[in-house]
């Protein structure tokens, strides 16, 4: 309500900005997050175009979606294998792929970006898409840590730009952080909120602050665990066991950092260090930087703090 009042004061009204019903979604980036979001959007009846830089990466993304869908089907359609197969095929049919982001944005209700956590690269992407997408199209970023205001500044649709922050693994994690900047219209915010609900998620409203809610708490915790280990105050295995059995977390911090991606974890800290160089919570971590430099990015590359098959 306070947010709406704020918009009315700024001169927005329901007659000047429209609610967008999101039927078609263009997702830029078919990695862990983009593929997961594509899966849940398609499974809930939306048509999706998934964009990445090569056909090989897109094939890998579709294979991942199929594998994850099979896990969902096994559980949801345990007694009805035929209905499960039908759901699987229908969901896969809702997903098309492209290596041409601008062409994919030509006819879409929502562009949701899930590419590398780098401000300049995200801005360049959105600047290009702003010229290609229709007037009504809403833009959203799945950024973990970058200000939505900074990303949106590369476009001319500040009122139709927000944050939609999903969690990994997307098919399982129930939360979506919906982020409004001071320019996001109420209609855009409502459309993003409704879209999250249509995907079966629970949305929370967030201010455009570093890391929103979850990552502002979670990433410093992950970083502290690595520093604790680097000081020689605990093995990674013991720290993981301790946080699982002592704090009831489903994964220990090293398992989770590997799961998120050590590159993404590092990029989040890098961005925050740049903004707040004296904040010890965001300080650089030599061990993390070393693993990333060696290409050990976690589960997605087969090795991070741990090795994966
Ligand atoms: N697709 C579909 N289903 C999946 C899945 C996937 N990718 N991964 C797990 N599941 C399902 C399984 O089928 C299983 O279902 P049932 O229990 O009904 O059989 C269930 O999830 C549990 O999976 P597992 O038994 O394989 O393994 P688990 O019990 O260890 O759970 C986990 C796996 C859900 C990932 C759990 O370990 C967990 O919740 N970990 C923490 C994840 C977390 O904190 N994510 C947030 C990261 S931060 C972030 O995302 C924000 C950011 O910007 C960095
Ligand atoms: P990822 O490395 O798994 O995937 C990124 C994908 O984007 C890759 O497939 C890459 O080829 C593709 N890509 C890069 N540049 C592109 C371009 N110009 N055009 C099209 N595709 C391009 O990364 P991820 O873990 O999926 O993270 C993606 C975004 O989501 C990041 O902003 C990250 O901070 C955020 N995020 C990550 C997590 C997580 O747990 N990993 C959770 C929430 C949000």
């Amino acid at each position: 309500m306070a947010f709406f009042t704020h918009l009315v004061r700024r001169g927005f009204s329901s007659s000047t900005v429209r609610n967008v019903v999101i039927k078609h979604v263009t997702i830029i980036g078919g990695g862990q997050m983009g593929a997961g979001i594509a899966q849940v959007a398609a499974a809930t009846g939306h048509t999706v175009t998934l964009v990445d830089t090569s056909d090989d990466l897109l094939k890998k993304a579709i294979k991942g979606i199929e594998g994850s869908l099979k896990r969902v089907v096994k559980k949801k359609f345990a007694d009805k294998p035929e209905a499960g197969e039908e759901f699987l095929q229908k969901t896969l049919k809702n997903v098309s792929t492209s290596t041409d982001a601008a062409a994919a944005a030509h006819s879409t209700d929502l562009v949701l970006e899930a590419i590398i956590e780098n401000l300049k690269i995200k801005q360049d992407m959105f600047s290009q898409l702003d010229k290609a997408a229709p007037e009504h199209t809403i833009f959203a970023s799945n950024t973990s840590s970058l200000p939505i205001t900074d990303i949106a500044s590369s476009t001319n649709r500040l009122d139709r730009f927000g944050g939609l922050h999903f969690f990994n693994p997307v098919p399982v994690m129930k939360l979506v952080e919906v982020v409004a900047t001071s320019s996001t219209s109420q209609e855009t915010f409502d459309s993003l909120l409704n879209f999250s609900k249509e995907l079966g998620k629970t949305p929370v409203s967030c201010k455009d602050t570093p890391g929103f809610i979850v990552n502002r708490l979670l990433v410093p915790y992950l970083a502290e665990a690595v520093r604790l280990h680097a000081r020689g105050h605990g093995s990674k295995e013991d720290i993981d066991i301790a946080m699982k059995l002592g704090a009831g977390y489903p994964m220990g911090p090293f398992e989770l950092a590997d799961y998120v991606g050590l590159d993404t974890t590092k990029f989040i800290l890098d961005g925050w260090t740049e903004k707040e160089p004296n904040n010890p919570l965001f300080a650089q971590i030599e061990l993390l930087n070393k693993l990333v430099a060696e290409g050990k990015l976690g589960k997605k590359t087969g090795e991070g703090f741990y090795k994966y098959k």
Side-chain angles (χ1 to χ4, degrees), residues 33 39 64 67-69 71-72 75 142-145 165-173 214-215 218-219 222 249-251 256 259-260 264-265 268:
M33 297 307 293
Q39 177 185 330
S68 173
L69 272 173
R71 295 174 80 170
V72 174
K75 191 167 37 173
N142 182 53
T143 178
S144 298
S145 62
H165 186 219
F166 288 81
F167 292 81
N168 191 15
V170 182
V172 179
M173 304 305 279
V214 173
N215 282 345
L218 185 64
V219 176
L222 296 182
Y249 287 18
M251 284 175 168
L256 185 56
Y259 197 69
V260 164
T264 299
T265 309
I268 294 171

Side-chain angles (χ1 to χ4, degrees), residues 27-35 37 51-54 57-58 60-61 98-99 101 113-118 121-122 125 128 141-146 164-170 215 256 259-261 263-265 267-268 297 300:
I27 298 172
I28 316 291
Q32 304 186 96
M33 297 307 293
I37 301 165
V51 179
D52 212 304
T53 49
S54 75
L57 286 168
L58 287 166
K60 192 177 158 208
S98 172
T99 52
E113 166 274 319
I115 63 175
I116 187 170
E117 188 71 351
N118 177 291
I121 297 175
K122 287 187 195 286
M125 173 58 71
Q128 180 201 351
S141 174
N142 182 53
T143 178
S144 298
S145 62
L146 298 166
L164 261 192
H165 186 219
F166 288 81
F167 292 81
N168 191 15
V170 182
N215 282 345
L256 185 56
Y259 197 69
V260 164
D263 50 345
T264 299
T265 309
F267 297 151
I268 294 171
L297 308 184
K300 64 183 170 187

Side-chain angles (χ1 to χ4, degrees), residues 117-120 123 143 145-153 208-211 216 266-284:
E117 188 71 351
N118 177 291
L119 180 60
K120 174 83 174 62
Q123 284 175 333
T143 178
S145 62
L146 298 166
I148 300 295
T149 305
D150 292 359
I151 304 173
S153 69
D208 191 18
T209 56
R216 180 60 183 80
K266 172 179 158 46
F267 297 151
I268 294 171
L269 286 169
D270 287 351
W272 290 350
T273 313
E274 210 180 302
K275 293 237 171 212
E276 290 185 45
N278 298 322
N279 190 334
L281 291 175
F282 307 154
Q284 290 289 306

Side-chain angles (χ1 to χ4, degrees), residues 200-222:
K201 303 296 180 194
T202 302
V204 291
S205 165
C206 292
K207 301 284 178 206
D208 191 18
T209 56
F212 317 123
I213 298 173
V214 173
N215 282 345
R216 180 60 183 80
L217 300 172
L218 185 64
V219 176
Y221 150 72
L222 296 182

